[in-house]
Amino acid sequence: MIGLCRVYMDAKVFAEWGWRIPFLVSLFLLGISVWIRLRLNESPVFAKMKAEGKGSKAPLTESFLHYPNNKYVLLALLGATAGQGVCGTPASSTRCSSLPSRSKLDYVSAYSLIALSLVIGTPFFIVFGWLSDRIGRLKIILQDA
């Protein structure tokens, strides 16, 4: 989206206000994702549990403030996903700004390479999701197990 804006806008216009367009488009995508989530049915196990009145009255409090639940939440947030966040977030947030300058590519070529890598890489989310269902998530996350 940034690449398209930069290609079709004057550099001065992009610097003044055009950089906001990708953020506005992301609001549209957020709306679509909320709409999809609201149309999904709950899992049969959760629906049965809720019908039997076994659901939590205060799920956030029970998750974050009561032991041992808070131990598992912290382990999941800080232990299991910290490595992915530390490696993935800086890489994805800086690649658009640093790739053109570090690789000496013009921004159109750099953004085209990034888009191509996303097109190639996205199907692997499905592949590795399926594989993690087969062999377990721990082996996929740790990659050496």
Side-chain angles (χ1 to χ4, degrees), residues 97-113:
S97 60
S98 65
L99 185 62
S101 61
R102 292 180 185 217
S103 65
K104 307 295 188 241
L105 289 171
D106 62 293
Y107 67 86
V108 174
S109 298
Y111 290 169
S112 298
L113 288 172

Side-chain angles (χ1 to χ4, degrees), residues 71-132:
K71 178 176 77 171
Y72 298 125
V73 169
L74 288 175
L75 181 63
L77 290 175
L78 301 176
T81 59
Q84 294 170 340
V86 167
C87 296
T89 302
S92 63
S93 63
T94 59
R95 93 178 59 124
C96 286
S97 60
S98 65
L99 185 62
S101 61
R102 292 180 185 217
S103 65
K104 307 295 188 241
L105 289 171
D106 62 293
Y107 67 86
V108 174
S109 298
Y111 290 169
S112 298
L113 288 172
I114 292 168
L116 179 63
S117 69
L118 289 170
V119 168
I120 292 169
T122 298
F124 287 101
F125 285 106
I126 296 169
V127 170
F128 285 103
W130 171 83
L131 188 60
S132 73

Side-chain angles (χ1 to χ4, degrees), residues 4-5 10 13 18 22 24 31 39 42 47 69 74 82 99 112 117 123 143:
L4 289 174
C5 289
D10 182 55
V13 173
L24 295 173
R39 294 186 50 135
E42 294 294 348
N69 296 345
L74 288 175
L99 185 62
S112 298
S117 69
Q143 298 167 354

Side-chain angles (χ1 to χ4, degrees), residues 47 62 96 110 134 144-145:
E62 289 180 18
C96 286
R134 297 282 180 210
D144 294 331

